[in-house]
Amino acid sequence: MENEQLYDVLIVGGGPCGLAAGIEAQKAGLSHLILEMGSLTESIRQYPRRMRFFSTAENIEIGGLPFPISGVKAGRDEALQYYRKVAAYYKLNFKLFQKVDTVTKEGDVFTVTTAMGDPFFARKVIMATGYFTRPRWLGIPGEEQDHVSHYYDEPFKYSFTNVVIIGASNSAVEAALELYRHDVNITVVHRGEDFRSTVKYWLVPDVKNRVKEGKIKTMFDSVVTAIGTDTVTVNNLKTGDETQLPADFVLVLTGYIPDADLLRRCGIELDPDTQVPVYNKETFETTVPGLYVCGTVMAGIHTEKVFIENGREHAQAIIDHIVGREIHQVKELIQRI
């Protein structure tokens, strides 16, 4: 480790919760480094271009800096601008496009190694990697084809084509509504009997009215069993009937999960059923002393339970524990309505 800097805190992940951890470390007088696998707040950059957050702007603020917008809920571009300005204001120390491969500990020092083989050293490590980089694959034939995507960005690519959306959560509903308004023939396929109950409340009447009008077609109680070059095969779970749908494009919008393999390589124990890391509920320290989880990475398969608005508070509790002061009590997020 000669001639290599030893950081007090190294943070893996440059999303809002990772930035919040860097801010808290800096406020506490700790040297820090944030390693981000993509651009700053990469996961937000990958959101649909017209997406608006469920949380109000004040609930996704970090570092005590106001998030001024003309409305109540911020959009993707506003959030990207805000978090960039926050990072610049606090002069956070980060290295971008540095994908972390492993975290190992020898004595009291962690070695964090990137995919390029570069090592970084720290006394404490905070995993704030989120979950948006790992889509839930269905594991069906044809899912790997070029016209199939697990992300949706904007509508113009799809105008005047047939698009099948698999899923019925927020991302699926928002994509369906936007695509319908850009001359796309949409069919939503979902194994449940209706859209998910967690869909943003202001979207529900819109999408249900479009379904009633026949402008967005739905196949509930159904699953896609195979994806061809220009069709998908759909099986009705109640009747067993099989249908072939035309599909120039397929959007598999079935959610995302944390990178469990990375967490295991770092020595973090995971619940075998939920993939939730084993950690102290007050300090967020894992079974590896000095290694913490922060933000949505701790959600496992239950990604609907951790958001920026409660994940950002983990940072203060973690830094409190590291410096040995009274630990900030993280508030549980109330059920969304």
Side-chain angles (χ1 to χ4, degrees):
M1 204 178 71
E2 187 177 358
N3 298 323
E4 295 284 353
Q5 181 170 353
L6 176 63
Y7 296 95
D8 293 322
V9 178
L10 190 147
I11 300 152
V12 183
C17 297
L19 297 181
I23 292 168
E24 294 299 329
Q26 186 154 290
K27 287 181 176 179
L30 303 175
S31 61
H32 75 279
L33 175 66
I34 301 171
L35 296 180
E36 163 57 47
M37 68 181 297
S39 60
L40 194 70
T41 58
E42 173 68 12
S43 58
I44 295 177
R45 191 191 65 78
Q46 293 185 65
Y47 285 177
R49 295 180 184 175
R50 293 178 177 82
M51 189 222 72
R52 303 203 79 79
F53 283 81
F54 201 133
S55 307
T56 59
E58 64 183 6
N59 282 332
I60 58 174
E61 294 172 353
I62 59 173
L65 296 183
F67 188 170
I69 58 172
S70 58
V72 176
K73 300 175 188 292
R76 166 192 177 271
D77 289 2
E78 291 169 315
L80 289 172
Q81 291 280 28
Y82 171 75
Y83 292 119
R84 179 176 61 86
K85 287 291 189 180
V86 170
Y89 176 83
Y90 279 103
K91 298 181 173 61
L92 296 179
N93 184 30
F94 47 79
K95 291 183 180 294
L96 303 176
F97 303 98
Q98 295 279 344
K99 184 177 181 179
V100 167
D101 188 52
T102 58
V103 176
T104 57
K105 187 178 184 183
E106 185 174 345
D108 294 329
V109 175
F110 287 94
T111 300
V112 180
T113 306
T114 68
M116 297 295 290
D118 298 323
F120 298 90
F121 305 96
R123 294 184 176 90
K124 309 290 182 182
V125 173
I126 301 172
M127 301 297 294
T129 48
Y131 59 78
F132 199 63
T133 59
R134 292 291 296 267
R136 296 176 192 259
W137 281 67
L138 300 178
I140 59 177
E143 191 174 1
E144 74 290 342
Q145 296 177 87
D146 289 342
H147 70 293
V148 181
S149 176
H150 293 81
Y151 295 92
Y152 168 73
D153 54 0
E154 53 91 19
F156 299 104
K157 172 182 177 179
Y158 305 101
S159 294
F160 305 107
T161 68
N162 299 305
V163 174
V164 171
I165 296 176
I166 304 174
S169 60
N170 277 311
S171 57
V173 170
E174 287 184 302
L177 286 169
E178 189 169 59
L179 289 172
Y180 137 71
R181 292 189 167 98
H182 288 79
D183 297 299
V184 182
N185 181 32
I186 294 292
T187 303
V188 175
V189 180
H190 179 49
R191 65 171 51 250
E193 63 182 5
D194 199 351
F195 295 104
R196 289 191 178 277
S197 61
T198 53
V199 171
K200 298 170 183 175
Y201 63 86
W202 61 88
L203 297 177
V204 174
D206 191 0
V207 72
K208 292 204 169 184
N209 284 332
R210 304 297 79 74
V211 171
K212 287 179 182 177
E213 294 169 352
K215 294 177 178 177
I216 294 176
K217 295 180 284 296
T218 59
M219 296 184 70
F220 292 125
D221 298 308
S222 301
V223 294
V224 173
T225 57
I227 302 173
T229 55
D230 56 4
T231 62
V232 297
T233 303
V234 181
N235 181 263
N236 187 291
L237 296 173
K238 290 187 174 180
T239 66
D241 293 342
E242 190 172 273
T243 305
Q244 297 286 324
L245 292 179
D248 299 302
F249 297 96
V250 180
L251 297 174
V252 185
L253 303 180
T254 51
Y256 310 90
I257 53 175
D259 189 345
D261 293 335
L262 172 61
L263 298 179
R264 289 191 190 96
R265 289 198 304 273
C266 298
I268 296 175
E269 183 181 343
L270 304 178
D271 181 282
D273 296 322
T274 65
Q275 303 298 299
V276 172
V278 178
Y279 65 94
N280 182 296
K281 298 300 188 292
E282 181 182 18
T283 67
F284 302 96
E285 188 175 30
T286 68
T287 51
V288 180
L291 180 58
Y292 300 81
V293 285
C294 177
T296 54
V297 70
M298 65 177 56
I301 62 174
H302 301 299
T303 52
E304 73 282 358
K305 294 186 177 181
V306 184
F307 307 90
I308 297 171
E309 61 187 84
N310 58 344
R312 61 182 179 167
E313 292 194 42
H314 303 158
Q316 184 177 338
I318 291 168
I319 299 302
D320 287 343
H321 185 246
I322 288 173
V323 301
R325 64 194 179 199
E326 183 179 355
I327 296 173
H328 169 74
Q329 297 299 307
V330 175
K331 294 177 290 187
E332 290 293 331
L333 189 68
I334 62 172
Q335 180 67 34
R336 292 173 179 273
I337 58 173

